[in-house]
Amino acid sequence: MVSHDDIVSFLDRLSADGATHTELSEGIWNVKPAGALDFGVVVNYSPPVVVLRIKVMDLPAGGPQRGALEHRLLELNGNDLLHGSYGIQKDEVVLIEALELEHLDFEEFLSAYESITLALASHIRELASFREAR
């Protein structure tokens, strides 16, 4: 099974591509991908899984915009995402991926990380339009 130290080495390997990471507390890191977008991927080592989570935006108040956003998130889950899924936690839209630690290797971790960061980068402008229409 992948250990805490293995996750640290995975995060160090991400640094080669320009990502930076900070350990917020034991087993929880904030990873800032390289590039212009300003978001962090929270990596939570919580055996038997590691969870990657991105806060996308605050959930708009009720009304037709909220329903339209929720519908669009389901469409994106069904059509656009290879890894992870959009969801709602409290009053936030999040993008989450959970990976089992039992047989996890760096390539699988990297694939999930790149998939959710690329998905958010390609969806952020559209999703932001729901926030701005409040």
Side-chain angles (χ1 to χ4, degrees):
M1 177 159 40
V2 171
S3 70
H4 176 278
D5 291 339
D6 293 324
I7 298 295
V8 170
S9 82
F10 291 175
L11 297 173
D12 288 342
R13 289 176 71 179
L14 288 179
S15 297
D17 291 330
T20 59
H21 64 277
T22 306
E23 190 162 14
L24 303 174
S25 63
E26 182 69 23
I28 300 175
W29 299 265
N30 185 28
V31 181
K32 293 285 192 179
L37 291 176
D38 186 28
F39 63 84
V41 179
V42 175
V43 176
N44 184 356
Y45 176 76
S46 184
V49 297
V50 61
V51 178
L52 286 69
R53 179 187 183 276
I54 303 171
K55 177 186 175 185
V56 177
M57 60 190 261
D58 291 327
L59 193 62
Q65 279 303 108
R66 182 171 173 156
L69 171 61
E70 291 169 353
H71 185 265
R72 185 62 182 137
L73 292 173
L74 289 172
E75 288 177 334
L76 291 171
N77 283 346
N79 298 321
D80 259 25
L81 293 175
L82 177 60
H83 287 278
S85 62
Y86 286 103
I88 297 171
Q89 285 184 335
K90 299 182 183 173
D91 290 327
E92 298 176 345
V93 175
V94 295
L95 182 54
I96 296 180
E97 167 71 9
L99 301 165
E100 289 185 45
L101 294 169
E102 187 65 32
H103 301 289
L104 183 65
D105 60 17
F106 177 71
E107 288 73 24
E108 183 181 2
F109 179 85
L110 178 63
S111 177
Y113 171 82
E114 287 179 340
S115 179
I116 64 172
T117 57
L118 179 60
L120 182 57
S122 64
H123 301 151
I124 193 68
R125 189 166 289 165
E126 177 186 2
L127 295 176
S129 71
F130 290 98
R131 181 182 61 225
E132 293 163 1
R134 286 194 255 184

